[in-house]
Amino acid sequence: MSKTWYPVINYSTCLECGVCVNKCSHGVYEKETNTPKVIFPEGCIEGCTGCQKLCPSSSIEYVGQEFKNGNLNCECNCNC
Ligand code: SF4
Ligand code: SF4
């Protein structure tokens, strides 16, 4: 269970193909629609990129990803 790692969809590039929705078996996405809607982020498995790998338009990123890669993506140099 993770609250610090879950998918965030870029709806401006999402094709609404439903691949990510169908891929996840952890209840993270609402299953009734092909438009990915994250309804249970706690179900996402820390470090899993299963749905991201299958996304044809690279529309999935993760909360927590920058931290995992050691890149805070922040230029303020406060080392937070
Ligand atoms: S990263 Fe894995 S567990 Fe998380 S939503 Fe995608 S397929 Fe499901
Ligand atoms: S796999 Fe990618 S393009 Fe398809 S619905 Fe999910 S986020 Fe959108």
Side-chain angles (χ1 to χ4, degrees), residues 9-76:
I9 310 299
N10 182 347
Y11 290 104
S12 67
T13 55
C14 174
L15 306 171
E16 301 186 9
C17 67
V19 166
C20 56
V21 175
N22 292 319
K23 164 68 182 172
C24 186
S25 56
H26 299 279
V28 175
Y29 296 107
E30 184 181 87
K31 290 284 185 188
E32 278 71 43
T33 167
N34 277 348
T35 303
K37 193 172 159 194
V38 175
I39 56 168
F40 183 49
E42 292 88 348
C44 188
I45 306 301
E46 176 91 28
C48 177
T49 55
C51 53
Q52 183 188 55
K53 277 188 222 149
L54 296 178
C55 177
S57 61
S58 302
S59 301
I60 302 176
E61 293 190 344
Y62 298 92
V63 165
Q65 191 160 39
E66 295 86 349
F67 290 94
K68 195 174 180 74
N69 294 339
N71 172 15
L72 297 177
N73 203 23
C74 170
E75 296 176 351
C76 74

